[in-house]
Amino acid sequence: MSDNETSILCAAEIIGNSRYLCVSTGAGVSAESGVPTFRGAGGKWNTIDPEDVATYEAFSRDPEFVWSFYNDRRVNGASCRPNPAHIAIAQLEKRFGDNFTLITQNVDNLHREAGSERILEIHGNIWRVRCTCCNIEYEERTNPLPARPYCKTCGEGAWIRPAVVWFGETLDFDLLYRANKALESCDALLIVGTSGYVYPAAEFIVIAKRSGARVIEINVEETPNAGFVDAKVLGKAGEMLPRILSRITGEG
Ligand SMILES: NC(=O)c1ccc[n+]([C@@H]2O[C@H](COP(=O)([O-])OP(=O)(O)OC[C@H]3O[C@@H](n4cnc5c(N)ncnc54)[C@H](O)[C@@H]3O)[C@@H](O)[C@H]2O)c1
Ligand SMILES: [Zn+2]
């Protein structure tokens, strides 16, 4: 049996014997759906400086440029569908019911499309916008948006912005509180497709470990989490997660 096959069995054993499962996902879980990651091979930040598009300063300086970046992501995102990793995570939620929380850094909505419901989108959602004048937040599916998108209530001159968390901005306190509670309650944490460099997600593993949880990680490459992980599955999320799930359910 290969090392990875052993890790898959170990991951299935940990999840299968746990009472409360927390799943933390990053851009890697959507890579096989055609949504580019920020870091790693083919990552967006290799060609674009985040300071130019994903900060409030950049938006204040040149909102049209920032919106052209987000319009591209929305146009590309509209043709992306959930992959087998999103679907396996939604199936795990069905198994665990209320003893399940999905914490995602992704803004692409693919987990919801796959059927996930107990989900904390800590970095927001690219299909939602917020008015910079009245602060109202709403779903906006017009795609692409006009080059100068304005608030549907305030009108001309009142810029909306993507309802996502930019570099240097604070996360929603209530979401973070609920994420922490879930991490303290879980006895298994499954981390999928996240580089382990972005806070606070990088810290989730520490909170879960401190509370006695066992940790599984699925990634195509090594991450800074290595020393904390109980089962490390090396490979694509869309291939590895269905294999783990079928071990848990005893199918295949
Ligand atoms: N899909 C999205 O919504 C999306 C896309 C890009 C970036 N982001 C934002 O990027 C920020 C943080 O980045 P991050 O840490 O989530 O991701 P990241 O882009 O920093 O890293 C992605 C990770 O996924 C791994 N990976 C790539 N393909 C994979 C696959 N097929 N299976 C498993 N792992 C794979 C990479 O090795 C890397 O560790 C977040 O703020 C998030 O909001 C979101
Ligand atoms: Zn408004």
Side-chain angles (χ1 to χ4, degrees):
M1 196 181 291
S2 72
D3 281 358
N4 221 27
E5 193 58 37
T6 309
S7 299
I8 287 171
L9 282 178
C10 181
E13 183 271 324
I14 292 173
I15 297 172
N17 289 319
S18 65
R19 182 190 46 79
Y20 191 125
L21 176 66
C22 234
V23 181
S24 164
T25 64
V29 80
S30 295
E32 291 156 79
S33 294
V35 184
T37 61
F38 282 175
R39 294 174 186 76
K44 253 190 189 318
W45 297 133
N46 299 336
T47 50
I48 296 173
D49 184 349
E51 301 286 326
D52 289 338
V53 284
T55 62
Y56 191 73
E57 290 68 34
F59 183 73
S60 312
R61 209 165 42 232
D62 192 349
E64 276 182 69
F65 179 71
V66 170
W67 263 117
S68 73
F69 171 78
Y70 280 94
N71 261 333
D72 282 354
R73 287 182 72 187
R74 286 164 62 103
V75 169
N76 174 58
S79 61
C80 296
R81 295 286 160 266
N83 68 56
H86 297 106
I87 292 163
I89 291 168
Q91 284 168 346
L92 283 170
E93 179 176 344
K94 284 211 172 67
R95 252 184 114 76
F96 282 87
D98 285 336
N99 291 329
F100 179 96
T101 301
L102 168 59
I103 310 165
T104 188
Q105 296 166 77
N106 293 347
V107 296
D108 57 29
N109 209 44
L110 292 177
H111 281 303
R112 288 190 194 281
E113 283 180 38
S116 289
E117 290 173 1
R118 294 166 182 87
I119 172 172
L120 304 174
E121 291 172 311
I122 59 169
H123 288 170
N125 187 306
I126 204 169
W127 299 106
R128 297 182 66 78
V129 296
R130 192 162 65 245
C131 175
T132 54
C133 293
C134 72
N135 227 22
I136 187 181
E137 187 181 309
Y138 58 97
E139 183 174 330
E140 178 51 271
R141 286 277 172 180
T142 308
N143 198 22
L145 280 161
R148 296 168 165 226
Y150 296 137
C151 172
K152 65 176 183 185
T153 309
C154 306
E156 188 78 11
W159 286 88
I160 47 169
R161 56 163 285 177
V164 300
V165 179
W166 281 330
F167 291 100
E169 293 186 322
T170 49
L171 273 67
D172 181 276
F173 182 81
D174 178 56
L175 284 181
L176 211 49
Y177 179 80
R178 287 160 62 198
N180 274 281
K181 275 267 169 249
L183 290 159
E184 284 166 4
S185 309
C186 74
D187 46 10
L189 169 64
L190 169 63
I191 302 174
V192 189
T194 179
S195 58
Y197 293 109
V198 179
Y199 279 82
E203 217 163 46
F204 291 168
I205 188 165
V206 180
I207 301 170
K209 271 276 166 191
R210 210 169 42 210
S211 307
R214 291 202 283 170
V215 178
I216 302 149
E217 181 174 61
I218 305 176
N219 202 301
V220 289
E221 55 190 35
E222 289 299 330
T223 74
N225 294 332
F228 282 107
V229 168
D230 297 280
K232 163 89 203 178
V233 180
L234 208 57
K236 292 184 174 178
E239 293 169 11
M240 298 302 133
L241 264 169
R243 284 174 66 184
I244 294 170
L245 186 68
S246 68
R247 292 289 182 176
I248 296 169
T249 57
E251 294 158 9

